[in-house]
Amino acid sequence: MNMMTHGGSCGHSCCLRMQNLSVKIGNDVIVEDVNLHVHCGEMVALIGPNGAGKSTLVKAILGQLPYEGVISFSVPGQRNRKLKIGYVPQSPAFDAGDCVSVADLFACCMSKRPAFLGHTKAMREKITMCLERVRSEGLIDKRIGTLSGGELQRVLLALALEPLPNLLILDEPLSGVDVEGMETLMEMLDEIRQTYDLSILMITHDFTMLSRYADQVLLLDGRPVCQGTPFEVLNSEAFRRVFHRKGGSL
Ligand code: ADP
Ligand code: MG
């Protein structure tokens, strides 16, 4: 794995930079030739059909898969500091009958104390503070398996925000969330990005949100097939070809 600190010709300060990135699984090249700069404070959307390699690319960024090429990170004003990444995975499944509560989930991620011993007052306060970031403190004692799609996404987002990352990566956070929930989540992500000055890389199939929230869009289909502003990508020939859509206004 090749990581280096940022330095170079990018006009803005880059939070995450991929150069000639390829990811193989076994002998299969899943993603190739990705060149992407995620600038500080930007929201970048990664779109593409199923099997395009979007989740694979994210796993390479997270260091969970080996890759060829360069992935470099930088924290503005903090040379040689490791970039902190918060990650919300693609639709994790929880059993409705499972008795794990939201507080239990946080506690087991944040401390070594077994959940059956209960949570200390300090831990409950910390969990409440984390949930307040996503305006979901009322969910603290709910069982994970009983949460709606939108509630679960907010809880997972709160988990990914502790400790506060420089880069937040979300893999299809809008799937399983109703239209109203989508709006709420996107508004919240936008607010979080500004409040905590972080960059966001989001995989999504919801193209209606792109124009309003994304600064850049990368359309991936094994390799980048179009890259630019939401307007440029959504109106491109490549977008029409990949999604078999007629031209139009998204
Ligand atoms: P997307 O997230 O864009 O839907 P993925 O990155 O999950 O796509 O998968 C891209 C391709 O890589 C698919 O063809 C998938 O079958 C393959 N793939 C993903 N993970 C593995 C794996 N662990 N082993 C073999 N093939 C995989
Ligand atoms: Mg995926």
Side-chain angles (χ1 to χ4, degrees), residues 55 90 171-172:
S55 297
Q90 186 170 3
D171 195 342
E172 298 196 30

Side-chain angles (χ1 to χ4, degrees), residues 79-246:
R79 272 185 164 270
N80 303 322
R81 282 282 294 277
K82 252 190 113 188
L83 182 102
K84 278 189 247 141
I85 302 180
Y87 173 53
V88 179
Q90 186 170 3
S91 44
F94 292 96
D95 192 335
D98 208 322
C99 60
V100 173
S101 71
V102 170
D104 295 337
L105 180 68
F106 270 84
C108 81
C109 293
M110 298 197 306
S111 99
K112 293 195 173 80
R113 185 183 159 95
F116 63 81
L117 292 179
H119 311 305
T120 61
K121 188 160 173 270
M123 177 55 72
R124 255 190 98 80
E125 278 168 9
K126 183 147 192 216
I127 297 168
T128 303
M129 183 274 289
C130 291
L131 289 168
E132 277 169 356
R133 286 183 179 147
V134 297
R135 294 195 281 281
S136 298
E137 55 279 19
L139 299 178
I140 189 164
D141 292 315
K142 288 244 170 138
R143 293 208 322 264
I144 295 282
T146 63
L147 300 178
S148 72
E151 288 172 338
L152 178 60
Q153 283 299 345
R154 289 206 301 279
V155 167
L156 295 175
L157 177 59
L159 259 184
L161 289 172
E162 182 56 38
L164 276 172
N166 310 102
L167 172 67
L168 180 63
I169 301 182
L170 304 106
D171 195 342
E172 298 196 30
L174 304 176
S175 50
V177 178
D178 60 27
V179 177
E180 206 183 315
M182 275 186 200
E183 285 280 348
T184 312
L185 196 63
M186 289 308 299
E187 284 292 332
M188 192 173 278
L189 284 172
D190 207 41
E191 197 185 304
I192 284 168
R193 167 169 80 130
Q194 290 175 46
T195 308
Y196 302 112
D197 194 23
L198 44 84
S199 310
I200 297 181
L201 177 63
M202 182 169 95
I203 298 178
T204 182
H205 284 295
D206 193 283
F207 307 136
T208 58
M209 300 286 171
L210 297 182
S211 305
R212 230 177 329 148
Y213 296 103
D215 298 293
Q216 265 197 84
V217 179
L218 169 62
L219 167 54
L220 192 70
D221 193 7
R223 55 170 56 235
V225 289
C226 192
Q227 201 162 345
T229 63
F231 182 85
E232 285 164 351
V233 174
L234 297 175
N235 291 290
S236 67
E237 185 50 43
F239 180 83
R240 282 189 279 278
R241 192 176 63 245
V242 169
F243 293 107
H244 311 290
R245 283 180 190 245
K246 297 220 165 63

